[in-house]
Amino acid sequence: MRLPIHPPLPGQHSPTKVEVTDHNFLHQGFMQFSVIRLRHEKFAGGMTPVIERDVCHRGHAVAIVLYDPHADRLVMVEQFRIGACAAGVNPWMLEFVAGMVKEGEDPMEVAIREAEEEAGCVPRDVRLVYSMMPSPGGCTEVVEILAGLVDSTGIGGIHGLEEEVEDIRVHLVPAETAIALLDENRVPSGFTLLGLSWFARHRDRLRADAGVI
């Protein structure tokens, strides 16, 4: 996985020392949950007292911005999300295709496979856009956001793997509509919000590279 290098700002010194005194796993299912006791170096020097933190171990994921530059539209998916349901938010969310990366898998290959499974398309010219952590205050998940070009002709319908109980509806969203949703604060999915922000800034270049403008 690829993440921004340390330190956060060029030319600055940041603490680097962490001492873990205890690490207990409480639950191991689709996600793992643990309690870690540790102390860490402080900005002004010295160490903190021992502190206790809960951690959700979620792993590595990918999401991919699927764009048809000739039709000027995005391929997006709608599906049920349990986290949103538990938070009291509408759980049927409009998102970019995404999936989990297992150990030893190549993130780009996973993104291409997920695009085919969830949206019925095979992207080309796939490139890395961002590496990000959705909730670094308590979750280990790293998401690589990629982008790829597609031909959206004939794409649509219901997709997903039955063995994973996936129920996914594909939408072809005009670029202007997607950007408007972003500006109207109607995109609660974090990786989708970030991918759309990138797309809004790079849309013209993507179209120019494809010979559309």
Side-chain angles (χ1 to χ4, degrees):
M1 71 185 67
R2 294 158 286 195
L3 283 174
I5 61 172
H6 193 87
L9 289 174
Q12 280 199 350
H13 170 74
S14 297
T16 59
K17 189 174 182 180
V18 179
E19 295 178 353
V20 176
T21 61
D22 196 27
H23 189 178
N24 291 316
F25 279 90
L26 305 178
H27 172 77
Q28 298 196 40
F30 181 74
M31 289 179 279
Q32 300 176 344
F33 296 88
S34 69
V35 175
I36 299 177
R37 292 174 58 82
L38 60 88
R39 59 185 198 139
H40 63 78
E41 187 179 357
K42 298 194 296 184
F43 290 110
M47 301 289 286
T48 66
V50 174
I51 56 178
E52 185 174 283
R53 294 291 183 264
D54 298 337
V55 179
C56 170
H57 299 263
R58 175 119 171 110
H60 186 189
V62 290
I64 183 165
V65 180
L66 299 170
Y67 178 54
D68 183 339
H70 296 279
D72 195 24
R73 59 191 182 188
L74 292 160
V75 179
M76 304 184 73
V77 295
E78 180 185 359
Q79 60 185 310
F80 177 85
R81 291 302 197 187
I82 185 59
C85 182
V89 177
N90 179 8
W92 279 271
M93 289 197 165
L94 184 68
E95 299 179 321
F96 289 125
V97 164
M100 300 302 295
V101 180
K102 298 177 182 178
E103 187 174 352
E105 288 187 314
D106 179 81
M108 190 171 295
E109 291 178 0
V110 173
I112 293 171
R113 182 185 70 217
E114 292 292 334
E116 188 169 10
E117 290 178 0
E118 294 189 1
C121 62
V122 179
R124 64 187 188 278
D125 299 331
V126 178
R127 82 290 306 265
L128 177 68
V129 171
Y130 296 121
S131 299
M132 52 89 77
M133 297 189 74
S135 187
C139 184
T140 64
E141 183 177 32
V142 174
V143 181
E144 292 197 43
I145 301 176
L146 300 99
L149 304 182
V150 297
D151 178 357
S152 62
T153 305
I155 290 176
I158 309 298
H159 292 259
L161 298 177
E162 283 191 23
E163 59 267 29
E164 296 183 11
V165 199
E166 291 180 328
D167 183 43
I168 300 169
R169 181 164 60 177
V170 176
H171 294 277
L172 301 180
V173 185
E176 292 292 345
T177 300
I179 294 170
L181 292 174
L182 176 71
D183 292 337
E184 293 165 7
N185 192 26
R186 294 174 59 190
V187 185
S189 169
F191 64 81
T192 305
L193 182 72
L194 191 57
L196 270 178
S197 298
W198 175 86
F199 172 74
R201 291 186 295 111
H202 294 273
R203 173 190 173 199
D204 288 344
R205 180 174 61 80
L206 291 171
R207 299 189 77 201
D209 290 347
V212 177
I213 57 174

